[in-house]
Amino acid sequence: MALPPENNSLSEKTPSLSTVYPLSTPLLPMSLPKLDPLQLPEYLEQHPETCSRYPYLPDLARIEQACYLLKTAPPPVPEVIEKRIINPTLNLLSVRWSGLPELLTNHDSRPVQQDAHVLVFRKPATEEVLVLEPSGHDLLALKLVSEEVDSRQAAKEGGVSLGAIDDILYIAIHRGLLLAPESKIVRGPDFPRGVLTDPDRFTAPTFTLQWHLTQVCDLHCRHCYDRSDRKALELDEAIRVLDDLYDFCRQHHVFTQVTFTGGNPMLYPHFNELYKEAADRGFMLAVLGNPMPRHRIEEMLAIQKPEFYQVSLEGLRDHNDYIRGEGHFERIFDFLDLLKELDIFSMVMLTLTRANMGEVLELAELLRDRVNLFTFNRLAMVGEGADLASVDPKDFPDFLERYMEASEHNPSMSLKDNFFNLLRHKQAMPYIGGCAGYGCGAAFNFVSLLPDGEVHACRKLPSPIGNIGESSLFEIYHGQAAQRYRGGSSACRDCEIRPVCGSCLAVMYGFGKDIFNELDPYCFR
């Protein structure tokens, strides 16, 4: 196992013993001969009689020496990291006493004579010098990276899931033992910045596949975007999609989320099997669906707890049931109680129309203690949604203002629509992430996969960018069609807040606009 050697280089300036060894110095005998302070650990090893009262002193001195050298003369860290590497500042020390890191912060603790390892390193970003006894998983992560063992190979040899191996690596990265490349899901240099300079606005750490597993649904909502007959992928085909997604996210150095939706995703005949396959790859999982029986939710929980489970309401009881079917309102409220009982983060989405705009705030109050998050999307007049009436654009700014004011007193209300940022810009308030966290995230930090393999930039409008059965996700994502949707409308190019807005392409499409060149009709810039 090739690891960085212990750092024993001498400093150009000779420090005092107490400077290098603040904890060890008081424990040293008075008769210690004059020596170079950085040679103290070696001296103590050669003269064990000097440590008779504190036999762990040689190891403690080595740890303190490593800390001093990292604080005063740390090795360089590459500015650009192309692949996972061991933190160049990391020292792996083999010691004969365990419990030494605890002694550094709790002087009353007592080390135990037992072979152990100690890691001394500078944590990236904070540059804090840390000392810890590594876990078995820490050592495994170092071994895998040092020997360049692929995660799939390690999972196969260890008889564990791929996700289990990657979790070990991610934890080691989080702790600072490993360094990883930056996300490659990044807005290009030609993407307009407006007045925003924070690089986090242009780089996404997570990529989401919104996977419409099936068109089968137990509802027939009046604003459904697509009721077409699409044949769902077989289980083996769907598993190949997961492998392709895994490779894509590894290539782009991002976390992976799969949001299963439909139709009703849990009516896909192989849902549990596919959900487990996704969990085994270490993906974060979520569901956009309908109320389901307790046993189905418990089956899912037995595999992996979802990040969230989202359902929909379209207003108060009468209007909601007119849109989604008789009894739906009551079923949603009962289901939200079930999600709360099972400790699953719950979300309610409303499609904002002219007919329900006046019910939104009252509905939010009813949901206050029942749901973790409530928000809305503007109606996209696409598919059967074209038969409903959109909010009058002139009424929209006032609605946003009333909603935002109510949200200050209702913790479940979330701000999602991009135009909240336009309102907040006018009021000199901090920006929210916008839709999907990065203004319009279509074909940027998410894509939609339809049941038959078609990939779209956004599910709410026809926006085909490829087919997963014909091309890899990498090829689709970097294709010209995806890049065009990612760029959005040229009409937004000079907007001060373009990175956290970008309008809504689906709404624009529903109004018959040229989505690549015209403004969203709701823009009140």
Side-chain angles (χ1 to χ4, degrees):
M1 175 172 167
L3 287 170
E6 297 177 19
N7 194 336
N8 292 314
S9 60
L10 292 177
S11 174
E12 293 181 2
K13 296 182 180 180
T14 303
S16 66
L17 280 175
S18 60
T19 298
V20 184
Y21 311 100
L23 186 58
S24 300
T25 299
L27 308 181
L28 295 171
M30 298 294 293
S31 58
L32 197 70
K34 191 172 183 179
L35 51 85
D36 186 317
L38 294 182
Q39 297 299 321
L40 178 64
E42 182 179 350
Y43 176 85
L44 295 177
E45 289 281 2
Q46 294 172 354
H47 299 83
E49 69 279 2
T50 62
C51 312
S52 56
R53 289 189 61 189
Y54 306 102
Y56 53 80
L57 258 180
D59 285 341
L60 179 60
R62 289 171 62 214
I63 293 171
E64 290 195 287
Q65 180 197 67
C67 291
Y68 173 80
L69 291 173
L70 284 183
K71 290 175 182 176
T72 57
V77 176
E79 290 187 10
V80 178
I81 298 171
E82 299 293 343
K83 63 178 182 179
R84 289 174 183 156
I85 62 171
I86 294 174
N87 185 337
T89 71
L90 185 141
N91 288 271
L92 175 64
L93 307 178
S94 297
V95 295
R96 293 187 291 270
W97 293 79
S98 67
L100 292 171
E102 184 181 354
L103 185 62
L104 296 177
T105 54
N106 178 10
H107 298 174
D108 293 329
S109 69
R110 290 290 175 263
V112 176
Q113 189 166 12
Q114 176 180 304
D115 288 345
H117 292 95
V118 172
L119 298 178
V120 184
F121 60 99
R122 281 171 68 121
K123 190 165 185 179
T126 66
E127 297 188 350
E128 177 188 8
V129 174
L130 299 179
V131 181
L132 57 87
E133 287 189 5
S135 66
H137 283 177
D138 291 334
L139 295 175
L140 176 58
L142 294 172
K143 177 181 176 66
L144 293 177
V145 172
S146 174
E147 298 180 4
E148 298 187 349
V149 179
D150 179 75
S151 292
R152 284 193 174 100
Q153 177 186 343
K156 183 177 180 181
E157 291 178 357
V160 297
S161 71
L162 182 57
I165 295 296
D166 280 343
D167 280 348
I168 289 170
L169 293 168
Y170 290 141
I171 290 170
I173 292 168
H174 178 72
R175 299 183 78 178
L177 309 182
L178 302 178
L179 304 185
E182 298 290 334
S183 165
K184 290 187 176 181
I185 301 296
V186 182
R187 297 287 195 190
D190 59 338
F191 189 83
R193 262 55 178 170
V195 296
L196 283 81
T197 57
D198 184 354
D200 289 343
R201 297 288 188 187
F202 308 98
T203 304
T206 301
F207 182 82
T208 297
L209 180 70
Q210 187 184 79
W211 194 344
H212 297 259
L213 283 176
T214 177
Q215 296 290 82
V216 177
C217 190
D218 45 330
L219 303 176
H220 189 153
C221 304
R222 292 177 182 270
H223 58 8
C224 185
Y225 301 123
D226 184 4
R227 296 292 298 185
S228 62
D229 184 19
R230 295 176 182 267
K231 183 179 183 296
L233 298 178
E234 297 295 336
L235 180 59
D236 60 340
E237 296 174 309
I239 290 173
R240 284 196 293 272
V241 170
L242 294 178
D243 288 332
D244 186 29
L245 176 63
Y246 178 87
D247 290 337
F248 173 86
C249 290
R250 279 291 302 274
Q251 289 167 315
H252 291 82
H253 310 297
V254 288
F255 295 102
T256 311
Q257 177 168 312
V258 179
T259 300
F260 291 114
T261 184
N264 183 345
M266 297 187 79
L267 297 183
Y268 176 66
H270 311 292
F271 178 82
N272 283 4
E273 295 93 328
L274 188 62
Y275 191 89
K276 183 178 187 307
E277 291 284 349
D280 285 348
R281 284 158 178 77
F283 298 163
M284 295 179 287
L285 305 175
V287 176
L288 310 182
N290 300 333
M292 294 295 288
R294 172 187 282 268
H295 76 274
R296 291 300 310 275
I297 305 303
E298 289 177 340
E299 289 170 358
M300 181 175 62
L301 274 179
I303 299 169
Q304 179 172 303
K305 184 178 178 178
E307 301 296 310
F308 62 86
Y309 195 117
Q310 178 179 300
V311 292
S312 297
L313 282 170
E314 308 307 336
L316 302 178
R317 185 188 304 271
D318 289 347
H319 182 72
N320 177 80
D321 288 2
Y322 166 74
I323 296 292
R324 291 192 171 264
E326 189 68 28
H328 178 265
F329 189 88
E330 186 174 340
R331 289 199 301 275
I332 287 290
F333 271 70
D334 289 343
F335 187 65
L336 290 174
D337 289 342
L338 174 62
L339 294 179
K340 189 172 186 177
E341 178 188 339
L342 297 177
D343 194 30
I344 297 174
F345 191 94
S346 60
M347 295 170 57
V348 168
M349 177 64 70
L350 174 141
T351 299
L352 186 68
T353 67
R354 191 171 306 181
N356 68 10
M357 183 173 69
E359 300 184 0
V360 172
L361 299 186
E362 187 175 348
L363 177 62
E365 279 302 305
L366 292 178
L367 292 170
R368 173 188 286 269
D369 297 320
R370 274 197 133 114
V371 69
N372 295 107
L373 187 150
F374 168 71
T375 192
F376 67 88
N377 279 324
R378 282 175 282 150
L379 172 70
M381 294 183 290
V382 179
E384 296 181 4
D387 295 332
L388 301 183
S390 292
V391 170
D392 190 325
K394 73 176 188 304
D395 297 329
F396 190 55
D398 179 66
F399 168 77
L400 288 183
E401 198 150 359
R402 288 186 290 109
Y403 184 98
M404 192 165 72
E405 183 179 350
S407 72
E408 295 175 3
H409 310 285
N410 186 338
S412 70
M413 295 175 68
S414 174
L415 311 184
K416 181 176 186 285
D417 193 282
N418 288 335
F419 286 130
F420 278 116
N421 278 324
L422 187 51
L423 186 63
R424 295 172 78 83
H425 179 70
K426 289 178 179 293
Q427 298 179 10
M429 298 173 68
Y431 303 118
I432 60 167
C435 180
Y438 297 87
C440 178
F444 173 59
N445 64 324
F446 75 87
V447 296
S448 293
L449 175 62
L450 305 194
D452 58 2
E454 274 190 18
V455 181
H456 286 240
C458 174
R459 182 65 182 99
K460 295 197 298 178
L461 80 159
S463 50
I465 57 176
N467 191 298
I468 203 71
E470 301 169 0
S471 306
S472 69
L473 186 55
F474 185 97
E475 294 168 328
I476 293 170
Y477 184 85
H478 293 285
Q480 289 186 352
Q483 292 177 31
R484 193 177 187 203
Y485 283 103
R486 205 152 46 236
S489 175
S490 61
C492 298
R493 186 161 192 85
D494 296 329
C495 179
E496 302 96 317
I497 62 165
R498 172 63 182 91
V500 292
C501 187
S503 304
C504 176
L505 301 182
V507 170
M508 295 164 64
Y509 179 91
F511 272 88
K513 298 291 185 179
D514 177 350
I515 64 173
F516 297 115
N517 294 294
E518 294 189 80
L519 275 178
D520 188 317
Y522 289 91
C523 181
F524 52 95
R525 178 186 170 196

